[in-house]
Amino acid sequence: MSRFESSLPASYFDELYARDADPWRFASSSYEREKYAATIAALPRDTYTSALEIGCSIGVLTRQLAARAQALCAVDVAARPLEEARRRCADLAHVRFEQGAVPAHWPEGRFDLIVLSEVVYYLDRADVAALAARVRDAIVPGGDILLVHWLGDTHYPLSGDEAVALFTASTGSWTHPLSATRHEAYRLDLLRATAAT
């Protein structure tokens, strides 16, 4: 399977969701259910003041993250899944949604939790470095950064391991690792921003 050499364009996701409203079975697969449970369990704090989720898709994880945050901003590149995410979270007044492709688009505000679940490997190396810079500018000192990535073969620009290694290297001295867990099909990495952000 040949890989994309550049970051996946918005049209890739638009076409994917045009064919299937839930192409990765976020709402129904046992893999996603178990991964989401592990993601929420990995959060070291019961409550975050302001959280950011990049790549929210149809909002299944968004709804679970909302229970741990006083305010949550969820971002996705494609309009169609955002419509479903808004419906799924319609009763949650503290959740807001934005459409845009990171790292070019980035929501305003500062966050004590940033979740990058199954998204960094869609980017090429230059955009991963730019994403890390965006996160650096948005995370509060002592804030948590949670990365979750599938470990199987893909045609994305990076593998799950490459994405995490590159993102972590790009954070330089302003984060330190809190935990790194490998499951059979995915890895979960938790970083904490230092006071020097």
Side-chain angles (χ1 to χ4, degrees):
M1 172 184 317
S2 62
R3 283 192 188 180
F4 282 84
E5 294 184 4
S6 301
S7 297
L8 298 187
S11 59
Y12 174 92
F13 299 97
D14 291 336
E15 292 166 8
L16 198 63
Y17 283 104
R19 293 192 301 267
D20 188 335
D22 186 7
W24 287 282
R25 303 294 175 257
F26 292 136
S28 60
S29 85
S30 57
Y31 163 77
E32 295 296 342
R33 196 161 40 250
E34 188 275 333
K35 185 191 69 178
Y36 289 155
T39 299
I40 297 300
L43 297 176
R45 297 170 183 155
D46 291 337
T47 305
Y48 290 87
T49 301
S50 183
L52 172 63
E53 179 192 11
I54 300 297
C56 66
S57 184
I58 61 171
V60 179
L61 180 59
T62 310
R63 188 163 185 93
Q64 297 179 47
L65 288 170
R68 302 286 291 271
Q70 296 174 15
L72 172 62
C73 177
V75 177
D76 202 88
V77 66
R80 186 165 181 176
L82 278 173
E83 292 173 6
E84 175 58 27
R86 287 187 176 99
R87 282 193 292 270
R88 188 180 301 276
C89 300
D91 61 322
L92 303 176
H94 67 298
V95 178
R96 66 184 172 97
F97 293 93
E98 291 188 17
Q99 183 180 355
V102 301
H105 171 86
W106 195 260
E108 291 187 7
R110 299 268 282 170
F111 306 94
D112 56 354
L113 173 65
I114 296 178
V115 177
L116 303 165
S117 181
E118 312 258 19
V119 293
V120 179
Y121 48 25
Y122 296 143
L123 304 178
D124 59 29
R125 292 176 176 273
D127 276 346
V128 172
L131 174 66
R134 290 285 206 179
V135 171
R136 180 196 62 220
D137 292 342
I139 195 80
V140 301
D144 295 328
I145 305 158
L146 186 61
L147 300 96
V148 188
H149 287 89
W150 189 56
L151 295 173
D153 291 332
T154 72
H155 58 288
Y156 307 148
L158 301 169
S159 69
D161 286 334
E162 289 169 339
V164 174
L166 186 57
F167 180 87
T168 303
S170 297
T171 65
S173 61
W174 58 267
T175 66
H176 63 272
L178 289 186
S179 64
T181 307
R182 291 185 75 88
H183 299 261
E184 181 180 354
Y186 67 94
R187 62 181 293 169
L188 196 154
D189 297 84
L190 183 66
L191 309 174
R192 179 158 289 170
T194 66
T197 57

